[in-house]
Amino acid sequence: MTWEDALAKVEERQAERRNTSETYAVKLHGILAEHYRVEVLKTRRGWGVRVDDPHDASLSITLRCVVGERRAYWEWIALLPPVADADDFDSVLAFVRHWLGP
């Protein structure tokens, strides 16, 4: 394998991760949009969803979908344990409700 082949493989894997992250972010947006004002956005590590506090427009939380080697998950703060697996939308909704209310 040449250097160019290896680089192309890495770029392909990164593109797949970005696509997976975006797919989960769009799905979560659809679920949360029924309850909150939300926005899908591109983050440093993939795609995320910003959720505005319904009681205070100056507050929001951003959940990022991180796609690793073995799994995809939602994180709020990188140094804390993941919020939930990427496909566990019920847990993510419960997390948002805990912090921002119903």
Side-chain angles (χ1 to χ4, degrees):
M1 176 181 283
T2 67
W3 175 255
E4 290 80 19
D5 293 338
L7 186 58
K9 193 96 167 148
V10 168
E11 288 173 355
E12 179 182 325
R13 187 172 26 224
Q14 288 176 332
E16 289 172 2
R17 288 180 179 183
R18 282 190 303 273
N19 290 340
T20 299
S21 179
E22 182 180 17
T23 298
Y24 280 120
V26 169
K27 286 182 183 180
L28 182 61
H29 175 274
I31 292 167
L32 293 177
E34 297 176 15
H35 310 282
Y36 301 94
R37 184 173 170 270
V38 295
E39 177 185 1
V40 174
L41 47 96
K42 193 170 187 178
T43 68
R44 185 174 51 89
R45 295 178 63 191
W47 288 84
V49 177
R50 189 184 76 212
V51 186
D52 292 336
D53 186 323
H55 308 291
D56 184 349
S58 66
L59 297 175
S60 67
I61 59 174
T62 300
L63 299 166
R64 291 173 299 281
C65 183
V66 178
V67 180
E69 285 296 323
R70 294 186 175 84
R71 70 179 189 142
Y73 57 90
W74 291 101
E75 71 177 17
W76 177 32
I77 298 173
L79 298 176
L80 295 178
V83 171
D85 288 337
D87 60 353
D88 188 358
F89 297 111
D90 290 336
S91 292
V92 176
L93 180 57
F95 175 84
V96 170
R97 285 184 171 157
H98 172 78
W99 286 100
L100 299 181

